[in-house]
Amino acid sequence: MKKLMMNAWELLELDKVTEDEKLEIIQDRHLMLIAAKFVKYRSENKITQKILAEKLNISQVMISKIENGKYNISNKLLFEYCLQLGIPIEK
């Protein structure tokens, strides 16, 4: 993921940003919001990454990467994980 110094939404307004860059900004923001929901879920349920990984039948490393924005998870998988955990995916 590209690290941007200014607000991503401000960048979307710039004429110099290509359509591909705009899409990347939107996807990055989406992944960050979902990652925050995973962290919140773990915090509210007082569980570790390992326990969450076991619930989803994935590795703890993958949970860590998702939470840190270092894994570009597909929307389909993300949707499935959110459904399994009861995490709303709107806003």
Side-chain angles (χ1 to χ4, degrees), residues 13-28:
E13 301 300 320
L14 298 176
D15 291 334
K16 295 179 183 176
V17 178
T18 68
E19 290 302 313
D20 286 343
E21 289 171 327
K22 287 179 183 180
L23 181 59
E24 184 178 348
I25 290 167
I26 291 168
Q27 288 172 334
D28 287 353

Side-chain angles (χ1 to χ4, degrees), residues 5-56:
M5 296 304 292
M6 64 188 317
N7 181 311
W9 296 108
E10 292 171 351
L11 282 174
L12 289 175
E13 301 300 320
L14 298 176
D15 291 334
K16 295 179 183 176
V17 178
T18 68
E19 290 302 313
D20 286 343
E21 289 171 327
K22 287 179 183 180
L23 181 59
E24 184 178 348
I25 290 167
I26 291 168
Q27 288 172 334
D28 287 353
R29 182 167 172 13
H30 176 72
L31 291 174
M32 288 187 319
L33 291 171
I34 297 297
K37 289 182 180 193
F38 272 56
V39 173
K40 182 179 178 185
Y41 177 89
R42 285 195 314 102
S43 175
E44 289 174 348
N45 291 281
K46 296 178 174 67
I47 61 173
T48 63
Q49 287 181 345
K50 182 178 179 180
I51 292 170
L52 180 57
E54 289 169 359
K55 283 179 167 268
L56 298 175

Side-chain angles (χ1 to χ4, degrees), residues 57-68:
N57 199 29
I58 60 177
S59 72
Q60 180 273 323
V61 171
M62 184 180 278
I63 293 292
S64 177
K65 287 181 178 183
I66 292 169
E67 290 183 357
N68 289 296

